[in-house]
Amino acid sequence: MPLLTMTNVQKRFGSLSVLNGIDMSVEVGQVVAIIGPSGSGKSTLLRVINGLEPIQGGDIVVDGISMASGRGLHEIRKHVGMVFQQFNLFSHLTVGGNVMLAQKLVLGRGKADAEKRGRELLAKVGLEEKWDAYPSQLSGGQQQRVAIARALAMDPRIMLFDEATSALDPELVGEVLGVMRSLANSGMTMLVVTHEMNFAREVADRVLFMDQGRILADGTPDEVVAQPKDARVQQFMRRLTER
Amino acid sequence: MNFAPVWASRWLLLDSFLTTLFLSAIAIVVGTFVGTLVSVLRALNIGVLNVILRIYVEVFRGTPLLMQLFFVYFGLPMLGIEVDKFWAAFSAISLYTGAYVAEVLRAGVEAVPKGQVEAATALGLSFGQRLWYVVRPQALRVALPPLVGVYVAIIKDTSLATVIGYNELMRRAMELVLQYGRPLEVLLTVGCLYFIICFPISKFSEWIERRLARNGA
Ligand SMILES: Nc1ncnc2c1ncn2[C@@H]1O[C@H](COP(=O)(O)OP(=O)(O)O)[C@@H](O)[C@H]1O
Ligand SMILES: [Mg+2]
């Protein structure tokens, strides 16, 4: 059974239709890169999966839980981690506070357990010594790695990345991609909206190309990035390589 | 300087001091409660309710406290609603302060970046948890200085309750000045008494500000 299934998902902002019947599913352990022009609905696709945006039609099922069911939204959120372009670390909390807050409040973990798990994950992203630092004392790359650790601390089944490296100085992109790469290698199921074609080619099992709220292409990196069949995708790739 | 008349009136002054303290306490405690409630309800963003709350805030901020006191104490009885002195002062001062507190808190809440709330939502925090653990600490950092300004201003404004018969500090001061003709001594004394109320509030807020500042820049 797929870990994530979207059936005929519709999303509108007022009269603007942003997702036009999305059908797709993601298997456990798959790493899916999502590419496409700006405004095509990539962020919205991620945001409906953890319920940051309500949908107007269709259904989303994560790990057997339907978004449409009573506690669906709450349960799904617990299983889905999200990493944002702007990091969004809680600025009034230390790194430790950031990775522990939701563990304590949402999972009901005690302080000792939350700290243990938090330190484990910070070590994984190479920032264990920053436990007492505040976000403002960290570089963008470090903040994003903490944000990844914070999401992982909830033991999610799926991780969503929305242009996680787009706000970073070029020299800091590598450290974040490195963390994402090792996460992918560890078997995490990931949906990654990205402009990093190398990452899509090397790490993703599958690439989705979105345009105007639809999935125009869905295949291996080779099929979608290297030798696209669809004219729109070809055009997008040409523009990308011209830059 | 001759403080003999002031000293002779010490019990009257103490009585008025306590009245001012009492009215200030109502303003700060109940006003803060009302203002907080309003800003939380506003954060829920329910259409009709938002409109009503906005009208409340605008009306009470947009009209003088003096007028509100008059309206409650003298106006409502004409409509057949009897209001005694205490409830008139209580309701007018609380609602007036509440409107200012609500506005200051709203500005604080709006200063918290949207991404903070989104991250908290994505992590599974409930509405109440987001408000308490993520929005409140960050909003307070912004709202605290203007909040103290509101408190200090309202402590001075409680002198208006004299119009409905409260013998608070300013009124007593005027009486003593008229009686003894010692304006400097009387006003110095009363000034000190106001200071005794306002000073701890400033100190307390400085302490909170320092604490918030330590929790991250
Ligand atoms: N909260 C919103 N309100 C109104 N329109 C929105 C909102 N969020 C996104 N949109 C619109 O939805 C479309 C898709 O946006 P988005 O999912 O952010 O695209 P992408 O991430 O691919 O650039 C855009 O036209 C955008 O303007
Ligand atoms: Mg986007």
Side-chain angles (χ1 to χ4, degrees):
Chain A
M1 194 180 73
L3 187 54
L4 164 71
T5 311
M6 302 179 82
T7 36
N8 193 25
V9 169
Q10 312 276 344
K11 172 69 201 174
R12 282 183 297 275
F13 290 108
S15 60
L16 178 70
S17 199
V18 177
L19 297 180
N20 298 304
I22 299 286
D23 284 298
M24 68 136 175
S25 57
V26 177
E27 301 296 329
V28 175
Q30 253 186 357
V31 176
V32 182
I34 302 169
I35 62 174
S38 170
S40 57
K42 306 182 297 296
S43 295
T44 306
L45 181 74
L46 294 191
R47 293 164 61 84
V48 298
I49 294 175
N50 69 357
L52 280 181
E53 299 287 353
I55 54 177
Q56 276 80 46
D59 195 16
I60 301 171
V61 178
V62 177
D63 208 8
I65 306 161
S66 160
M67 186 75 85
S69 67
R71 295 277 296 163
L73 176 62
H74 183 74
E75 287 305 314
I76 285 178
R77 264 190 199 141
K78 281 207 278 192
H79 295 285
V80 178
M82 180 145 182
V83 174
F84 301 84
Q85 186 175 342
Q86 299 298 338
F87 332 134
N88 295 343
L89 289 184
F90 303 131
S91 59
H92 61 297
L93 298 177
T94 60
V95 165
N98 266 277
V99 295
M100 290 195 299
L101 184 70
Q103 290 191 67
K104 291 191 279 191
L105 294 177
V106 180
L107 302 181
R109 281 189 190 146
K111 177 153 193 297
D113 285 346
E115 174 163 351
K116 183 162 167 289
R117 185 78 181 120
R119 285 191 185 276
E120 244 168 57
L121 288 163
L122 282 176
K124 228 179 189 171
V125 301
L127 290 171
E128 206 190 2
E129 78 284 2
K130 297 292 184 188
W131 183 264
D132 291 314
Y134 282 94
S136 57
Q137 300 166 320
L138 304 180
S139 73
Q142 292 172 329
Q143 289 189 50
Q144 194 61 298
R145 282 145 69 197
V146 172
I148 294 172
R150 177 176 70 175
L152 290 174
M154 304 301 286
D155 298 327
R157 301 293 315 271
I158 305 182
M159 285 284 286
L160 312 176
F161 294 83
D162 192 1
E163 301 198 27
T165 57
S166 295
L168 295 175
D169 294 335
E171 72 270 21
L172 301 177
V173 168
E175 61 188 67
V176 172
L177 287 182
V179 167
M180 292 167 65
R181 197 181 289 257
S182 67
L183 191 60
N185 290 337
S186 76
M188 176 62 75
T189 310
M190 294 163 60
L191 267 65
V192 184
V193 171
T194 186
H195 294 302
E196 302 284 336
M197 285 309 142
N198 286 334
F199 183 86
R201 246 194 312 253
E202 292 162 22
V203 182
D205 303 302
R206 199 173 139 196
V207 178
L208 301 183
F209 181 92
M210 283 193 72
D211 191 35
Q212 300 186 353
R214 288 196 179 78
I215 297 174
L216 271 198
D218 177 354
T220 64
D222 210 43
E223 290 165 347
V224 179
V225 181
Q227 289 135 20
K229 288 196 213 61
D230 188 283
R232 279 288 291 136
V233 187
Q234 285 172 359
Q235 189 190 11
F236 178 80
M237 291 302 162
R238 251 199 323 273
R239 285 224 191 98
L240 217 60
T241 45
E242 274 164 17
R243 264 195 289 157
Chain B
M1 290 255 191
N2 176 7
F3 278 94
V6 170
W7 181 247
S9 319
R10 61 189 179 279
W11 298 116
L12 288 178
L13 277 168
L14 178 67
D15 179 66
S16 298
F17 173 75
L18 292 177
T19 302
T20 293
L21 193 63
F22 171 68
L23 293 173
S24 303
I26 289 176
I28 292 173
V29 175
V30 187
T32 302
F33 177 78
V34 170
T36 307
L37 186 68
V38 169
S39 58
V40 170
L41 292 176
R42 271 183 154 187
L44 281 170
N45 212 356
I46 304 167
V48 201
L49 189 62
N50 258 13
V51 174
I52 296 171
L53 294 175
R54 238 192 98 184
I55 292 174
Y56 154 65
V57 169
E58 293 305 320
V59 166
F60 278 81
R61 283 178 76 229
T63 56
L65 176 59
L66 187 61
M67 197 205 89
Q68 295 165 23
L69 285 163
F70 267 128
F71 179 80
V72 177
Y73 195 58
F74 300 110
L76 287 184
M78 290 181 189
L79 302 173
I81 308 169
E82 284 304 323
V83 185
D84 69 16
K85 190 169 87 170
F86 169 77
W87 285 110
F90 181 90
S91 52
I93 289 178
S94 304
L95 289 173
Y96 178 77
T97 314
Y100 275 91
V101 170
E103 198 56 19
V104 165
L105 292 182
R106 189 188 57 82
V109 168
E110 276 174 13
V112 180
K114 244 185 83 191
Q116 297 281 307
V117 178
E118 290 201 333
T121 311
L123 285 164
L125 272 68
S126 67
F127 176 82
Q129 289 172 331
R130 298 196 288 269
L131 216 56
W132 186 257
Y133 294 98
V134 176
V135 176
R136 180 193 55 95
Q138 299 187 50
L140 262 188
R141 192 176 298 167
V142 175
L144 207 59
L147 199 57
V148 172
V150 168
Y151 290 158
V152 171
I154 189 68
I155 288 168
K156 296 175 196 154
D157 279 351
T158 56
S159 65
L160 294 171
T162 187
V163 298
I164 60 172
Y166 269 103
N167 279 319
E168 47 63 59
L169 270 178
M170 266 328 284
R171 181 196 180 102
R172 187 73 75 195
M174 284 348 233
E175 281 175 9
L176 294 182
V177 168
L178 290 177
Q179 195 178 338
Y180 298 105
R182 284 268 160 208
L184 195 60
E185 291 84 342
V186 170
L187 292 176
L188 261 176
T189 307
V190 168
C192 286
L193 292 175
Y194 271 113
F195 181 76
I196 288 175
I197 305 178
C198 292
F199 184 70
I201 294 174
S202 310
K203 275 290 149 207
F204 180 65
S205 87
E206 275 171 29
W207 177 75
I208 293 189
E209 258 175 87
R210 265 200 312 277
R211 256 188 48 151
L212 289 175
R214 212 178 312 134
N215 294 347

